[in-house]
Amino acid sequence: MITVLKILVVLFLIVLVIIMVFKPRKKEGFVLPDHFKDLLEDYIAFYRHLDEQNKKHFIERLEKFFTSVKITGVNAEVEDMDRVFIGAAAIIPVFYIRDWEYVHLKEVLVYPGNFNHDFEQRGTERDVLGMVGTGALQNVMILSKWELRHSFINEHSGRNTAIHEFVHLVDKMDGTFDGVPEILLERKHVPRFAALLQELMQRIREGRSAMDFYATTNPVECFAVLCEYFFMQPAYVQQESPELYQYLRQIFRTPD
Ligand SMILES: [Zn+2]
């Protein structure tokens, strides 16, 4: 009798272990709702052109991003479309850099329109469309909702403020904010790349390039503006400077 009881207890324990091992585990973190995938298909050309395997990977990267970065509206309602646009702008530049994470970024603030450098929405200097925080706001990025939507809906403009801001974070990751992402570009190429940025700035100043004049501000802005075109209109960058185009492909690990 005791032996039968022992066998039953052992059997019960085995069944219990099997149930625990095979029980489907609840996924932790943000799970992308299906209608987000529809928005990606409709508005994000980069995503639309990926194969099925890469689309799956893009979604995993988005889920990870939404799990670690909070998106908050400041006097603006953040809709799912805005979330998809912000997530896409974060993932597109680093999609082929497989283990990339925006480690310092904690929150994206969404303002309705432009704002000035003091992050105020009123006043006379409402000319800033996007910004990565410094000092006390180190972990914060600010985007204008109007500009965010405008960039993705008019994707042929070659401009994209949200991608521009995420490229700034890529640039900053090596500890220096200088227009050259040293952790992604082999050291031997750094001087040539920096010289090419200076050359491009000069061409724009002299009216020999149609690229946005804002790129002449400094090498940091030149790199970010150049990357906007690279991700939105790569053919234009290739035509503008085949050498810079090849460097950008190396930096962002873009496949053939
Ligand atoms: Zn900038």
Side-chain angles (χ1 to χ4, degrees), residues 164-165 168 214 221 224:
H164 177 112
E165 297 309 322
H168 277 330
Y214 187 64
E221 296 308 328

Side-chain angles (χ1 to χ4, degrees), residues 56-219:
K56 227 180 118 210
H57 183 63
F58 194 95
I59 285 165
E60 285 165 11
R61 296 282 293 267
L62 271 185
E63 289 177 335
K64 212 168 163 191
F65 177 79
F66 288 136
T67 302
S68 57
V69 178
K70 203 172 143 198
I71 297 172
T72 311
V74 180
N75 299 330
E77 191 194 339
V78 179
E79 292 165 59
D80 288 344
M81 178 189 254
D82 306 309
R83 286 192 187 87
V84 165
F85 288 172
I86 293 168
I91 303 308
I92 288 170
V94 296
F95 182 67
Y96 293 108
I97 311 169
R98 293 286 165 169
D99 47 2
W100 186 275
E101 271 180 66
Y102 294 101
V103 283
H104 302 299
L105 184 66
K106 300 280 177 271
E107 189 170 21
V108 176
L109 300 179
V110 180
Y111 281 56
N114 299 2
F115 41 87
N116 65 23
H117 285 276
D118 299 323
F119 301 160
E120 289 162 1
Q121 294 179 71
R122 291 171 194 283
T124 50
E125 268 187 87
R126 287 189 296 158
D127 57 346
V128 183
L129 306 171
M131 172 175 274
V132 284
T134 48
L137 287 166
Q138 188 73 259
N139 309 116
V140 178
M141 175 184 289
I142 303 183
L143 294 172
S144 133
K145 176 170 162 171
W146 188 88
E147 187 62 27
L148 175 72
R149 290 191 173 197
H150 180 78
S151 301
F152 278 103
I153 291 167
N154 302 296
E155 55 189 10
H156 300 295
S157 72
R159 303 304 313 276
N160 190 305
T161 306
I163 287 181
H164 177 112
E165 297 309 322
F166 281 100
V167 167
H168 277 330
L169 294 188
V170 171
D171 182 7
K172 276 172 105 173
M173 198 64 120
D174 56 28
T176 55
F177 200 18
D178 57 358
V180 184
E182 276 95 344
I183 47 169
L184 296 171
L185 185 66
E186 269 185 81
R187 188 182 290 253
K188 64 177 178 190
H189 296 308
V190 168
R192 180 66 187 146
F193 184 75
L196 284 168
L197 285 184
Q198 290 293 344
E199 262 176 43
L200 175 62
M201 287 162 68
Q202 194 53 32
R203 276 209 305 281
I204 302 169
R205 279 190 203 108
E206 291 169 2
R208 290 187 288 120
S209 163
M211 208 168 267
D212 195 308
F213 203 78
Y214 187 64
T216 63
T217 311
N218 54 44

